[in-house]
């Protein structure tokens, strides 16, 4: 009998009858170490694999003479990704040869091409060793360099010998997942910066810890006998470790200080760098002299604590903007492009206007464009806030980032990449983190002046203590420079604004400028557009008089037409996957439409059309029509075989939350005005139904007249807020102190307004004003904390009540307090 053991070693035991029996238990894959299914176990002396992918990887590695990889692996079992490229990945390797990707590939004078790609499946040093042997495995590859921390592979290859897709396919066969780098490099850069922070903190922590141990030995040596040679050795060791901290991780403060001097701009790195330089020079001199304080323990701890505080600030600021960053990743990374009747999967960044794209059920739409084929329901809640999916057919527009629900669509791209509507929104919101609000600039000016004051006080402290006690003069000066670092003062405002903008983005309120949060702190005048702002902005069936069964029949008739009345009636009974009653011979004419429902004639339209067909009308329907008219609703008559069976009241519906929101704004002290292009009677009726005490109501106003009203209003009071959604509102939005574009608004209004509501209704306006008040209060408290801390700290340092080590421990407390208060404040209104 031949027995195969768990480690694949073979043993042969003779049995009567001369029959060999195979014990197929615990057989492990020769590549990845996982258990091999019984059906895939090979005969003795032959390798066994758990899948075809592992077999391909094993053959590739052995065929290239790289068997040493198996000896280098840290873990022999269940630690290696199954070899072989997956079906999905196999279908994507061609994307590396796509023209759009090739535009990002560099070419050197020798004809070689270089690029960086993402690489998944890295586990240990053996993986790096194997991948960097690509020049041995694939002819034409010149070099391969792996960045394990970033999960990337830097390649150089000869395009005349091998295509990039072939290299990607080989990586897949080895069990790794090659991919395109995310177009949004912000996240990648943030990760790199985070690693740099951690590396600096690690080195600084090691230096601080060792220097504290050395300092402890030196201090203990004062109380018991220590030879002069041992003392000198410890002082020199402290100096060396201190220099490592100063010239290594502490170099970041020197670079900032040099930049501040070159640009003649007082910066908070300046007093820190001065403290480090003065302390280091004094320590070096005293080390050479063999007497006096050497400071390196305090300086090493100072560098560590400063870097730790900066990392905490860096992390919290990035968390505050995570919600905004998500906007850049709302569109799919790949798309199905139709070329000459053939569907190919390509990177979404390679799409161009005019391309034809296939969108399958459940897919996100990758472009803005028009539907050229198919019919489906599309979820547009991301952009419009509309909770119900909208039916899309040939000729209808669709937007990138929205979701196709249940049908196959072909879309002709009109805008792609960052030029889509969702790209516009992401870019506009990003301006909130890239532009400096006026309040931040004001805070930076204060911090700059404070730096000058600190430098002057440090020189005065040095001069004063040189007269009193020269042995502690440098110590006092260093303590003052450390404790008076205006880090908290400089971050007080931008951090509070960053937290507020991030929290608002999570609620669907996208803010382009931090100035908005300062301007909305005090109540002023709010001008509101009617259509699309206080109302839903489209015609709906508000009232119905007659049997409900006829509404479905009318919806079926109107589904054949696209005018506003037809859409209002057809949407009333429209649900995903529904089937309309069978309608024949639909015709549109002046005043309405006609059709056949079986053998019955249907007439849907105004009173003149009904009278033209000599239809009979009961008194009850006349009274219903009059009531609809009194509510500024348009009556729509329905007749079957010349007998009126129902009448519908059509109009623009007031949003459910409008009245409550306006009441809250009035309570908060805001004055309200209604500004619309609709007929004055309609505007006055809406105002009456809302039950709000508007200061002024204007109807039938042109865009120029709206702008003039806003201009006059800004001369009388501040702030003046304009809330609207149409192109005719864009000039007024741009002129107002704060312009707010509501969800579903036109592109012009979105571009003109510094605030965009991604959710329907006016309720976000209350959240925005609450956030403004909370943020301004947080900024005031942050300033009070940081200024109070610095005044007290400077006083203690100048009088000698704190030394550099205590100052280094106290300095980050103000920054941490500011960070904690900013985050806690944001939670109170979010």
């Amino acid at each position: 009998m031949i027995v195969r053991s768990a480690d694949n070693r073979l043993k042969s035991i003779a049995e009567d009858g001369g029959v060999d029996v195979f014990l197929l238990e615990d057989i492990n894959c020769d590549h990845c170490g996982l258990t091999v299914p019984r059906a895939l176990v090979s005969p003795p002396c032959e390798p066994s694999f758990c899948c075809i992918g592992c077999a391909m990887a094993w053959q590739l590695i052995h065929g290239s003479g790289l068997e040493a990889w198996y000896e280098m692996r840290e873990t022999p079992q269940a630690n290696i990704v199954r070899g072989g490229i997956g079906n999905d990945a196999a279908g994507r390797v061609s994307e590396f040869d796509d023209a759009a990707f090739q535009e990002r590939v560099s070419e050197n004078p020798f004809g070689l091409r270089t690029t960086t790609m993402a690489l998944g499946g890295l586990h240990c040093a053996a993986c790096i060793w194997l991948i960097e042997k690509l020049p041995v495995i694939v002819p034409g590859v010149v070099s391969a360099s792996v960045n394990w921390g970033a999960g990337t592979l830097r390649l150089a290859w000869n395009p005349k010998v091998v295509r990039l897709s072939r290299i990607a396919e080989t990586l897949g066969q080895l069990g790794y997942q090659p991919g395109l780098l995310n177009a949004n490099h912000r996240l990648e850069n943030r990760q790199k910066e985070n690693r740099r922070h951690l590396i600096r903190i690690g080195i600084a922590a090691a230096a601080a810890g060792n220097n504290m141990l050395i300092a402890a030995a030196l201090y203990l040596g004062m109380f018991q006998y220590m030879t002069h040679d041992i003392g000198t050795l410890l002082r020199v060791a402290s100096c060396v470790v201190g220099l490592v901290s100063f010239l290594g991780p502490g170099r970041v403060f020197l670079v900032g200080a040099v930049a501040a001097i070159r640009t003649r701009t007082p910066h908070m790195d300046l007093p820190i760098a001065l403290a480090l330089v003065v302390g280091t020079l004094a320590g070096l001199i005293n080390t050479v002299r063999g007497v006096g304080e050497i400071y390196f323990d305090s300086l090493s701890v100072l560098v560590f604590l400063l870097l730790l505080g900066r990392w905490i600030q860096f992390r919290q600021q990035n968390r505050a903007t995570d919600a905004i960053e998500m906007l850049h990743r709302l569109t799919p990374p790949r798309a199905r492009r139709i070329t000459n009747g053939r569907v190919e999967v390509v990177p979404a960044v390679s799409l161009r206007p005019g391309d034809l794209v296939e969108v399958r059920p459940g897919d996100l739409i990758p472009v803005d464009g028009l539907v050229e084929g198919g019919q489906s329901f599309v979820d547009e809640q991301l952009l419009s806030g509309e909770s119900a999916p909208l039916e899309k057919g040939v000729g209808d527009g669709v937007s990138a980032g929205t979701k196709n629900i249940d049908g196959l669509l072909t879309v002709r791209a009109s805008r792609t990449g960052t030029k889509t509507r969702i790209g516009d929104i992401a870019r506009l919101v990003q301006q909130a983190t890239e532009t400096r609000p006026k309040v931040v600039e004001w805070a930076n000016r204060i911090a700059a002046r404070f730096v000058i004051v600190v430098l002057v006080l440090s020189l005065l402290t040095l001069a004063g203590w040189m007269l009193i006690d020269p042995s502690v003069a440098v110590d006092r000066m260093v303590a003052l420079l450390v404790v008076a670092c205006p880090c908290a003062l400089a971050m007080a405002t931008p951090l509070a604004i960053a937290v507020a903008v991030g929290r608002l983005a999570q609620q669907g309120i996208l803010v382009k400028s931090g100035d908005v949060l300062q301007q909305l702190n005090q109540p002023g005048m709010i001008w509101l557009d009617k259509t699309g702002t206080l109302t839903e902005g489209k015609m709906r069936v508000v009232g119905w008089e007659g049997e409900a069964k006829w509404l479905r029949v009318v919806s079926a008739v109107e589904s054949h037409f696209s005018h506003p009345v037809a859409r209002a009636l057809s949407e009333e009974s429209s649900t995903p996957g529904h089937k309309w009653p069978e309608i024949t011979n639909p015709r549109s004419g002046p005043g309405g439409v006609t059709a056949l429902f079986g053998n019955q004639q249907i007439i849907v339209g105004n009173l003149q059309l009904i009278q033209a067909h000599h239809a009979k009308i009961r008194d009850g329907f006349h009274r219903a029509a009059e009531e609809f008219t009194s509510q500024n609703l348009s009556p729509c008559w329905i007749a079957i075989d010349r007998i009126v069976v129902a009448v519908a009241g059509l109009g623009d519906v007031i949003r459910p939350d409008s009245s409550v929101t306006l009441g809250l704004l009035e309570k908060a002290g805001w004055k309200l005005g209604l500004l619309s292009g609709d007929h004055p009677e309609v505007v006055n009726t809406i105002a009456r139904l809302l039950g709000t005490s508007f200061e002024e109501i204007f109807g039938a106003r042109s865009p120029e007249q709206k702008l003039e009203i806003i201009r006059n209003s800004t001369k009388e009071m501040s702030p003046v807020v304009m809330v609207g959604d149409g192109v005719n509102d864009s000039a007024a939005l741009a002129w107002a102190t704060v312009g707010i574009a509501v969800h579903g608004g036109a592109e012009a209004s979105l571009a003109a307004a510094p605030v965009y509501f991604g959710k329907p209704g006016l309720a976000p306006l209350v959240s925005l004003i609450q956030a403004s008040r909370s943020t301004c209060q947080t900024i005031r408290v942050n300033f009070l904390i940081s200024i109070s801390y610095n005044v007290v700290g400077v006083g203690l340092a100048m009088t000698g009540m704190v030394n550099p080590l205590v100052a280094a421990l106290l300095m980050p407390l103000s920054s941490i307090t500011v960070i904690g208060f900013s985050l806690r404040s944001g939670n109170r209104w979010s």
Side-chain angles (χ1 to χ4, degrees), residues 46-121:
E46 294 184 16
S48 293
F49 305 101
C50 62
C51 64
I52 296 177
C54 284
M56 293 172 59
W58 188 90
Q59 293 173 1
L60 187 60
I61 292 171
H62 281 73
S64 304
L66 301 175
E67 298 88 344
W69 178 73
Y70 293 102
E71 299 176 4
M72 296 175 64
R73 279 190 330 207
E74 294 179 357
T75 306
Q77 291 185 352
N79 192 37
I80 306 301
V81 174
R82 289 175 180 269
I85 193 164
N87 292 333
D88 185 46
R92 296 202 309 260
V93 293
S94 59
E95 68 188 17
F96 291 97
D97 293 331
D98 187 87
F101 180 79
Q102 291 298 324
E103 292 176 0
R104 294 185 283 175
V105 171
S106 304
E107 186 168 352
N108 63 23
F110 302 101
L112 299 179
R113 291 185 177 181
T114 59
T115 191
T116 302
M117 65 172 65
L119 193 64

Side-chain angles (χ1 to χ4, degrees), residues 282-553:
L284 280 171
I285 293 172
N286 290 340
T287 300
V288 173
R289 292 173 58 231
V291 295
E293 179 64 53
I294 57 175
Y295 302 111
F296 292 114
D297 53 342
S298 300
L299 295 178
S300 297
V301 173
L302 169 63
V303 170
F304 168 68
L305 292 176
L306 286 172
L307 292 175
L308 185 62
R310 285 197 173 189
W311 178 74
I312 293 173
Q313 177 188 358
F314 170 80
R315 293 280 292 177
Q316 294 300 339
Q317 285 179 326
N318 282 317
R319 287 180 181 177
T321 58
D322 277 345
I324 300 174
E325 294 295 334
M326 284 298 296
L327 288 171
H328 296 277
R329 298 189 288 276
L330 290 175
T331 54
R334 295 178 178 82
R336 294 181 175 88
R337 184 172 60 195
I338 302 175
T339 307
N340 299 324
R342 185 171 59 88
V343 178
E344 56 179 348
V345 178
V346 299
V349 295
S350 70
L351 296 175
R352 297 291 181 266
D355 285 350
L356 192 62
V357 179
E358 179 185 87
V359 185
R360 298 179 181 179
D363 287 352
L364 293 176
I365 298 175
V367 297
D368 288 356
L370 295 177
V371 177
E372 284 203 357
Q375 189 166 357
S376 179
F377 282 85
V378 175
D379 183 356
E380 295 187 340
Q381 188 171 6
L382 170 71
L383 291 178
S384 69
E386 180 66 49
S387 58
L390 301 178
E391 189 172 10
K392 300 291 183 178
V394 176
D396 291 333
V398 293
S399 299
T402 58
K403 187 175 183 179
N404 182 24
I405 301 296
D406 61 353
L408 181 67
L409 296 176
T410 54
V411 179
R412 182 72 65 180
S414 59
R415 297 200 297 173
T416 62
T418 58
K419 296 180 180 179
T420 60
R421 188 181 182 198
I422 191 65
D424 290 341
I425 294 174
R427 184 175 63 256
L428 293 174
V429 174
Q430 192 59 48
Q431 293 177 8
T433 58
E434 294 176 352
T435 57
R436 286 180 178 266
K438 295 176 183 177
V439 65
V440 174
E441 294 177 354
W442 174 75
N444 288 344
R445 286 196 297 270
I446 292 180
R449 292 170 183 171
F450 188 82
V451 167
I452 297 174
V453 172
V454 168
L455 293 176
V456 172
L457 290 177
S458 67
L459 295 175
L460 292 176
T461 301
L462 179 64
W465 279 100
M466 288 295 291
L467 297 175
I468 300 172
D469 186 357
S471 64
V472 298
V474 174
D475 191 69
R476 302 288 184 263
M477 178 185 181
V478 171
L480 186 147
L481 290 169
V482 171
V483 80
C485 172
C487 298
L489 189 63
M491 79 167 68
T493 299
L495 180 61
I497 290 176
V499 170
V501 171
R503 293 269 163 77
L504 287 170
Q506 290 175 341
Q507 299 179 47
I509 303 170
L510 309 180
V511 180
K512 289 165 53 179
S513 172
D515 285 335
V516 169
L517 300 175
Q518 181 188 16
Q519 291 159 344
L520 294 178
N521 183 41
Q522 297 296 328
M525 184 73 182
I526 299 179
W527 289 99
L528 298 146
D529 177 47
K530 180 188 74 68
T531 306
T533 304
L534 295 173
T535 66
E536 293 187 353
K538 61 181 180 180
M539 191 171 289
R540 290 186 180 275
V541 177
V542 181
W544 179 266
E545 179 68 26
E547 294 185 43
K549 67 178 183 180
W550 297 118
L551 179 57
R552 183 165 175 78
V553 176

Side-chain angles (χ1 to χ4, degrees), residues 12 119 121 164 178 341 374 432 434 444 481 507 560 659 662 690 726 767:
S12 180
L119 193 64
L164 185 57
E434 294 176 352
N444 288 344
L481 290 169
Q507 299 179 47
H560 293 83
S659 181
L662 295 179
L690 286 169
S767 297

Side-chain angles (χ1 to χ4, degrees), residues 653-692:
V653 182
I654 297 176
R655 294 187 182 277
D657 64 342
S658 293
S659 181
V660 175
T661 301
L662 295 179
L664 292 174
L665 293 173
E666 280 187 303
K667 275 187 181 178
W670 289 87
K671 297 180 180 180
L672 304 175
L674 191 53
L675 187 58
S676 176
D678 278 357
H679 193 278
E681 289 185 7
V682 176
V683 178
N684 286 321
T685 301
I686 292 295
R688 186 181 71 251
L689 294 174
L690 286 169
T692 302

